[in-house]
Amino acid sequence: MNNKFNNGFKTVAALLQMVFLMIVIVVFSLMVNLFVRNRLSFRDIGNGYSFFQSYYYSEEISEEIKSLMLYLQIQRGMKDQVLKEPENSKYKLYKLKYDSGESNLYYWFLDDDMIYTNMKNVKEVNEAIEMAKNLGNYLYYDDFSINLQGNIAYFEQDFQIDVMRLFQTGKGGALVVGVDTSLPKKDSIAKAESIYKTYLPWIGICLFVMIAAFLSFLLIMIYLTLATGRNEDDDNIRLYRIDYIPTELLFMAMILFVAALIAFCAKLGGKDLGISSSLILTGTLVFLSDSVLLTLYLSFVRKIKADQFVKCSISSYIIRTLKQAIYEQGIEKRGMIRISICSVLELFFLLEVFIYHSVWAVLGLLCVFLYSAVKIMQNAVYRKKILYGIREIGRGKLDSKLNVKEFKGDYRDLAEEVNGIGQGLMNAVEENLKSERLKTELVTNVSHDIKTPLTSIINYISLIKMEGTWNQNVENYVGILEKKSERLKQLTEDLVEISKITSGNIMLDMQPINMVELICQTGGEFNEIFEDVGLTIITRLPKEPVMILADGSRLWRVVQNLYNNVAKYALKDTRVFVELKMERGIAEFSIKDISAQGIHKSAQDLSERFVRGDESRGTEGNGLGLSIARNLTNLMGGTFEINLDGDLFTVSITFPMINP
Amino acid sequence: MNRILVCDDDKEIVEAIEIYLQQEGYEVIKAYDGAQVLEILKKQAVDLLILDVMMPKLDGIHATLKIREESSIPIIILSAKSEDSDKILGLNIGADDYLTKPFNPLELVARVKSQIRRYTKLGNAAENSQSVYQTGGLVINDDLKEVTVDDEPVKLTPIEYNILLLLMKNQGKVFSISQIYESIWNADAIGADNTVAVHIRHIREKIEINPKEPRYIKVVWGIGYKIEKA
């Protein structure tokens, strides 16, 4: 495809994805922490209000007023009866809070002609209202006109009802609350203001970071979704090992993991941890769960891409198997019926046993089990036998046949087919042998047809020579004709021989043979030929006989070809080394000579058909000699090796020795 | 003058053979298939038959079988089939010699001569003496220390003569190089070498028409040498 899907990118993306997700989760949990701890109000995010305009302030002040009202109720109750616990301690707490002069909140409460206030020397409502207005924030409720006014923002809807409940109906009364917005006292409102001022800008940043991180996370997820399974080299979807786990199992794993995660979080939720330790815990959890869930998610994505989501699942496997069983029921029909009957019987007997506790049902169950066991074992035996038959065929015993009568049911069909394979292979082999025979026959026939005209050529050349009295040139020409016709004769004979050897169409007469004797005999045949071309043979032979199993006349042909080869191609006036060695039950014959012309062929090529060491066409030989030698040696169970070291040409032949 | 019937479906070959045989003083009758051969044999007496195998109408093998039913004239089969099995078949059905195409015409002439001599001489071959050994046309007379092939004397060196005598006395037996060495030189064979093999080749060159396809001294490769029992 291209390199935007390479593994480096994918790894980096996975890491970045985790980092961003971590940021999102950590920042989110931080903010949730702040809100849950009532440090801030959601609605203040981003509106840039000052403290006294904020929702947070209104929430804070509502709480204050509610506790103030509670305080007022307690005070009012004190005139009728003595305070009991816990009202008494609450009263003391509130008194300290609102009446010790350390509060920025001022109140003036008139009810039932009683005045409760922390504004000193204020007796009139108007005076109180005036004073409260001067403080900055104020609230005024007139019970007579049921009118609530003030400049404190965002009161909750039901605040007025709460206030109304404070008054004893019909008596007329008023509540004036004022907040000193310069906050000279260090009370809870001042504290809330400092918190608001400290955290609000951070909240904005946090939110921005969270959104940015979340968007990046989404982008990277999109990239990963596109990239997973793809490779830089090809367009195919690569599946990993995990992707071959059935889809259901992966789903189960995911559900279990998520459930465990939720359970764990729920357990933790109950405990109150510090902000820093909860952050660390959150990070760890995110890291862990992200690795697991991302892996699973990407696996799903890959599966869908490779069209394996459904295919590679347990249910699909079961459905496929069932489908096959239904479509090709012929194969295992009997087996299916047997299994069904056994299952029904087992179910029936089991019911009998467990519901009616009947004894004969136990016996019946035993019988069914026994029958199944016997069937299973019988099938195992059949399979083994068929396997054995196939193995025999595989090892080349094509005529081995299974006894079809030993098999039953589907296994009989199988056994018949196995026998059919053997027969088919045998036919193919025969066919092949036949074509090899035909090839050899063709070569033989062609060579016969060549031999007849060649006979005339040779005879008439000989007649021309007998006529004599030609000039020198004609005599030379006739000489060439004579040589060439001789070579043609040799060639046709070699051709027939090589085609027979390579097609394995010769009969070998394998006898115990003394290699030493054979080499001496060959030496006797060749010594004058070698002397004529100025070659000296150095023969090194063991004193005792070296016995091998071979066809003597064929082995002679091999050695003869090697000697002929030397006579034709060795450098004049050099030595030829013939050696016979015995080593660990192997007889090795080798012949070494120095080539007259540089050999530009590989050792392998030299024993191929029609390849000669020198490229010149003028000399004798047709290139079949070494090939015939090699093939004959191999046919007789020996090895044939040619070695070229510069101009040093070595042929070695080995045969396993036998006891004399 | 001996009369020779030459039969081959290739006219040029027949004519070439005719020229060679006429040069040697034989009278030649020509035929081009097996049926003609049988007809000619009915009409006139022939001393030797040269017969091709692959011919139209009646092939050489069947012709030979027919001829052998009533006649014992020497037959030389001439064939392009060079397999051992072909040769064995030809000789088994009654041919006296088997020559493969393409052949050396001089070798053919030599073989013709050899066959004719043996055939005409067969009557008085009863020179049965203890010291005369014979196989085919090869006769060795130990009294006269004389060797003849088809009545032609052959000159052998003493060692060659002794080797040939050893093999002729024990026809059908295979002698290894060291056995030959020990009995001829009356000494233990020190090590293997070519000496015996070279002598054998020399003998072959002297007594065989074609030393590469010896009729008398056979090489049993890797075992030794022998002279086939007649």
Side-chain angles (χ1 to χ4, degrees):
Chain A
M1 187 105 177
N2 48 37
N3 58 4
K4 71 178 179 235
F5 290 146
N6 74 22
N7 281 333
F9 277 0
K10 278 192 258 182
T11 314
V12 170
L15 286 175
L16 279 178
Q17 173 268 350
M18 193 171 284
V19 169
F20 284 130
L21 184 67
M22 200 111 75
I23 291 171
V24 171
I25 301 279
V26 166
V27 172
F28 180 74
S29 70
L30 189 74
M31 284 168 65
V32 167
N33 249 306
L34 288 176
F35 297 134
V36 165
R37 281 156 202 267
N38 231 340
R39 294 279 162 84
L40 287 172
S41 167
F42 286 107
R43 285 173 290 181
D44 289 329
I45 296 166
N47 55 17
Y49 290 159
S50 70
F51 176 61
F52 290 102
Q53 290 167 311
S54 71
Y55 287 98
Y56 179 55
Y57 171 67
S58 73
E59 276 171 20
E60 201 65 31
I61 206 73
S62 314
E63 291 298 316
E64 288 288 335
I65 292 170
K66 271 178 193 163
S67 61
L68 174 72
M69 286 192 297
L70 206 61
Y71 176 51
L72 291 175
Q73 270 176 339
I74 292 168
Q75 277 191 49
R76 202 178 48 194
M78 275 167 63
K79 43 173 208 187
D80 302 328
Q81 62 198 65
V82 180
L83 276 178
K84 286 178 197 158
E85 293 296 340
E87 274 80 12
N88 191 26
S89 56
K90 269 188 187 168
Y91 171 75
K92 280 177 188 161
L93 204 72
Y94 288 135
K95 193 176 168 66
L96 192 72
K97 192 176 175 184
Y98 295 114
D99 291 340
S100 63
E102 285 303 315
S103 174
N104 291 314
L105 187 93
Y106 295 90
Y107 69 93
W108 191 91
F109 178 53
L110 171 71
D111 186 45
D112 205 11
D113 295 331
M114 283 286 288
I115 294 171
Y116 310 89
T117 183
N118 61 355
M119 295 177 185
K120 279 165 193 163
N121 308 320
V122 177
K123 301 288 178 216
E124 292 294 323
V125 179
N126 290 339
E127 205 181 338
I129 292 170
E130 200 55 37
M131 191 177 162
K133 275 183 178 169
N134 287 339
L135 285 169
N137 259 333
Y138 76 98
L139 188 82
Y140 164 59
Y141 177 75
D142 182 10
D143 193 43
F144 191 70
S145 60
I146 321 176
N147 186 21
L148 181 71
Q149 26 176 291
N151 62 355
I152 294 174
Y154 315 120
F155 275 123
E156 289 168 19
Q157 285 291 317
D158 52 355
F159 181 72
Q160 193 171 350
I161 299 162
D162 286 342
V163 180
M164 279 166 73
R165 281 206 194 106
L166 191 63
F167 296 94
Q168 288 172 349
T169 29
K171 297 276 173 79
L175 175 66
V176 177
V177 177
V179 178
D180 190 345
T181 51
S182 58
L183 299 172
K185 310 279 167 49
K186 296 274 171 247
D187 71 342
S188 56
I189 298 171
K191 209 164 144 195
E193 194 236 6
S194 89
I195 285 171
Y196 182 79
K197 279 185 175 160
T198 318
Y199 284 114
L200 192 66
W202 285 106
I203 289 294
I205 293 168
C206 281
L207 204 67
F208 175 75
V209 167
M210 196 172 87
I211 289 167
F214 185 68
L215 287 178
S216 316
F217 167 77
L218 277 183
L219 274 176
I220 289 171
M221 281 308 280
I222 290 169
Y223 168 75
L224 278 175
T225 307
L226 288 175
T228 189
R230 293 231 180 261
N231 212 287
E232 48 203 302
D233 313 322
D234 53 47
D235 282 353
N236 296 331
I237 301 296
R238 291 242 175 121
L239 292 181
Y240 298 99
R241 209 166 282 172
I242 185 176
D243 304 336
Y244 294 106
I245 297 172
T247 312
E248 287 95 336
L249 289 185
L250 285 180
F251 259 118
M252 290 267 282
M254 194 163 89
I255 288 166
L256 278 178
F257 183 79
V258 170
L261 196 70
I262 289 170
F264 185 70
C265 289
K267 210 172 177 187
L268 276 184
K271 287 177 188 164
D272 193 14
L273 297 160
I275 281 194
S276 57
S277 56
S278 78
L279 280 185
I280 291 170
L281 194 72
T282 314
T284 319
L285 273 181
V286 168
F287 174 77
L288 253 171
S289 47
D290 183 51
S291 343
V292 173
L293 292 178
L294 182 71
T295 310
L296 289 172
Y297 167 73
L298 290 180
S299 172
F300 286 141
V301 170
R302 279 193 298 271
K303 276 185 149 185
I304 291 168
K305 278 184 185 176
D307 200 19
Q308 288 294 322
F309 191 74
V310 176
K311 274 183 199 160
C312 182
S313 69
I314 296 172
S315 42
S316 148
Y317 173 75
I318 292 171
I319 289 169
R320 260 195 318 239
T321 315
L322 278 177
K323 253 189 195 168
Q324 277 176 355
I326 289 164
Y327 283 134
E328 292 172 34
Q329 50 182 301
I331 293 173
E332 272 287 338
K333 205 189 240 166
R334 292 192 197 87
M336 296 267 280
I337 292 168
R338 195 179 302 131
I339 288 170
S340 320
I341 291 175
C342 281
S343 310
V344 169
L345 278 176
E346 274 168 30
L347 207 66
F348 170 71
F349 286 133
L350 273 175
L351 281 175
E352 287 286 320
V353 169
F354 282 105
I355 296 171
Y356 305 109
H357 304 282
S358 98
V359 180
W360 65 266
V362 176
L363 279 175
L365 201 59
L366 265 175
C367 284
V368 173
F369 280 147
L370 213 64
Y371 174 75
S372 311
V374 166
K375 270 291 159 196
I376 287 168
M377 281 197 299
Q378 195 185 30
N379 288 352
V381 169
Y382 287 163
R383 274 198 296 273
K384 199 83 197 167
K385 277 183 179 168
I386 283 168
L387 183 72
Y388 178 75
I390 293 172
R391 197 178 287 157
E392 285 290 293
I393 290 168
R395 285 177 183 164
K397 274 195 183 173
L398 299 186
D399 53 346
S400 80
K401 287 263 182 287
L402 291 167
N403 187 357
V404 176
K405 281 174 189 161
E406 287 177 10
F407 296 93
K408 267 188 189 169
D410 302 325
Y411 287 95
R412 177 171 289 186
D413 300 345
L414 249 178
E416 274 167 4
E417 291 304 318
V418 169
N419 287 348
I421 291 173
Q423 190 57 47
L425 280 173
M426 213 145 80
N427 291 345
V429 168
E430 256 165 37
E431 200 66 22
N432 196 20
L433 279 178
K434 204 170 138 195
S435 87
E436 280 295 329
R437 253 202 318 276
L438 282 176
K439 242 191 266 172
T440 313
E441 254 168 45
L442 179 74
V443 173
T444 315
N445 288 340
V446 167
S447 87
H448 287 164
D449 289 348
I450 293 170
K451 276 174 183 174
T452 309
L454 190 58
T455 309
S456 291
I457 293 171
I458 288 173
N459 288 350
Y460 284 94
I461 288 170
S462 183
L463 283 174
I464 291 170
K465 274 175 78 184
M466 278 162 64
E467 290 295 317
T469 62
W470 294 97
N471 64 37
Q472 190 60 44
N473 280 346
V474 175
E475 255 169 48
N476 287 346
Y477 302 157
V478 171
I480 291 167
L481 284 179
E482 192 178 20
K483 259 192 199 166
K484 295 294 144 183
S485 55
E486 277 301 320
R487 200 175 135 200
L488 205 53
K489 176 184 166 187
Q490 187 63 46
L491 181 65
T492 51
E493 272 160 22
D494 284 355
L495 208 55
V496 174
E497 185 154 10
I498 193 80
S499 92
K500 280 189 177 169
I501 295 166
T502 48
S503 66
N505 213 346
I506 55 166
M507 294 287 283
L508 291 174
D509 177 23
M510 301 294 273
Q511 302 273 357
I513 274 175
N514 183 0
M515 273 290 265
V516 178
E517 184 92 12
L518 184 102
I519 293 166
C520 288
Q521 289 173 327
T522 312
E525 300 297 320
F526 274 91
N527 87 327
E528 260 155 52
I529 297 173
F530 277 24
E531 272 167 27
D532 288 348
V533 292
L535 291 170
T536 314
I537 296 195
I538 312 283
T539 315
R540 288 187 196 133
L541 300 173
K543 294 239 183 334
E544 65 272 32
V546 176
M547 301 305 288
I548 61 163
L549 202 63
D551 180 330
S553 56
R554 310 278 180 191
L555 190 58
W556 147 246
R557 184 91 168 94
V558 171
V559 178
Q560 182 193 27
N561 280 356
L562 297 182
Y563 275 59
N564 267 329
N565 199 57
V566 168
K568 281 173 202 158
Y569 302 118
L571 188 66
K572 305 268 178 285
D573 303 315
T574 55
R575 275 173 297 218
V576 177
F577 290 86
V578 173
E579 200 173 2
L580 184 64
K581 282 190 287 194
M582 295 181 287
E583 217 169 282
R584 271 175 275 144
I586 300 283
E588 184 184 356
F589 166 82
S590 67
I591 181 162
K592 290 179 195 148
D593 70 280
I594 291 163
S595 198
Q597 273 159 310
I599 297 168
H600 304 297
K601 295 271 185 251
S602 71
Q604 174 67 33
D605 283 347
L606 279 172
S607 57
E608 294 296 323
R609 277 181 251 178
F610 303 113
V611 175
R612 284 188 299 160
D614 63 343
E615 298 278 1
S616 64
R617 296 273 156 192
T619 49
E620 298 171 68
N622 48 50
L624 285 175
L626 286 178
S627 176
I628 290 174
R630 186 185 64 168
N631 283 304
L632 276 177
T633 310
N634 292 343
L635 267 183
M636 290 185 287
T639 70
F640 186 92
E641 201 182 318
I642 296 178
N643 249 306
L644 273 174
D645 186 4
D647 281 344
L648 183 66
F649 187 85
T650 312
V651 180
S652 20
I653 294 173
T654 66
F655 277 97
M657 284 165 62
I658 55 166
N659 293 325
Chain B
M1 197 174 11
N2 290 306
R3 195 180 287 151
I4 296 170
L5 175 55
V6 179
C7 178
D8 195 315
D9 59 328
D10 190 304
K11 282 183 182 170
E12 285 74 25
I13 292 178
V14 176
E15 272 160 28
I17 294 171
E18 185 188 13
I19 295 168
Y20 283 107
L21 292 177
Q22 278 172 348
Q23 275 177 355
E24 295 295 322
Y26 295 110
E27 186 191 338
V28 175
I29 306 169
K30 292 180 277 186
Y32 303 106
D33 61 63
Q36 278 183 21
V37 169
L38 293 180
E39 266 173 45
I40 292 166
L41 283 178
K42 272 177 197 161
K43 287 177 201 157
Q44 47 189 140
V46 170
D47 296 306
L48 186 134
L49 178 59
I50 297 174
L51 199 56
D52 184 24
V53 171
M54 288 180 289
M55 286 185 300
K57 288 184 190 169
L58 185 65
D59 70 31
I61 299 295
H62 286 94
T64 309
L65 282 170
K66 277 254 164 83
I67 294 161
R68 278 287 172 261
E69 282 170 11
E70 44 204 57
S71 166
S72 63
I73 58 158
I75 299 177
I76 298 178
I77 285 185
L78 204 57
S79 172
K81 290 186 173 179
S82 55
E83 287 306 295
D84 285 344
S85 56
D86 297 323
K87 290 180 190 170
I88 290 164
L89 174 71
L91 297 173
N92 276 351
I93 58 160
D96 298 273
D97 208 347
Y98 193 103
L99 203 57
T100 56
K101 286 182 187 174
F103 55 90
N104 181 345
L106 300 178
E107 185 183 345
L108 176 67
V109 170
R111 290 192 184 216
V112 167
K113 274 187 191 166
S114 157
Q115 289 298 335
I116 284 182
R117 270 198 216 103
R118 278 169 67 192
Y119 185 60
T120 49
K121 226 192 109 194
L122 214 61
N124 55 357
E127 250 182 89
N128 245 338
S129 163
Q130 281 290 311
S131 51
V132 175
Y133 307 93
Q134 187 192 359
T135 178
L138 175 66
V139 179
I140 183 163
N141 188 327
D142 199 29
D143 292 335
L144 305 171
K145 305 285 178 210
E146 189 188 64
V147 179
T148 53
V149 177
D150 302 326
D151 285 344
E152 296 274 324
V154 175
K155 280 187 178 173
L156 294 179
T157 66
I159 286 176
E160 286 166 5
Y161 178 85
N162 285 336
I163 293 174
L164 187 63
L165 186 65
L166 175 73
L167 294 175
M168 283 293 273
K169 276 179 176 172
N170 302 281
Q171 284 177 26
K173 189 185 170 192
V174 181
F175 286 88
S176 73
I177 286 175
S178 46
Q179 281 170 332
I180 293 171
Y181 190 90
E182 276 158 24
S183 64
I184 304 298
W185 276 267
N186 279 322
D188 284 347
I190 301 154
D193 66 21
N194 299 340
T195 321
V196 174
V198 172
H199 283 297
I200 299 258
R201 183 165 52 75
H202 288 158
I203 300 169
R204 262 201 334 248
E205 278 161 7
K206 287 174 184 171
I207 66 168
E208 302 282 358
I209 293 169
N210 182 356
K212 280 180 184 160
E213 277 178 56
R215 285 184 298 176
Y216 305 119
I217 300 192
K218 296 271 164 76
V219 187
V220 186
W221 294 102
I223 298 173
Y225 300 93
K226 68 169 179 182
I227 283 182
E228 209 82 62
K229 223 171 200 162

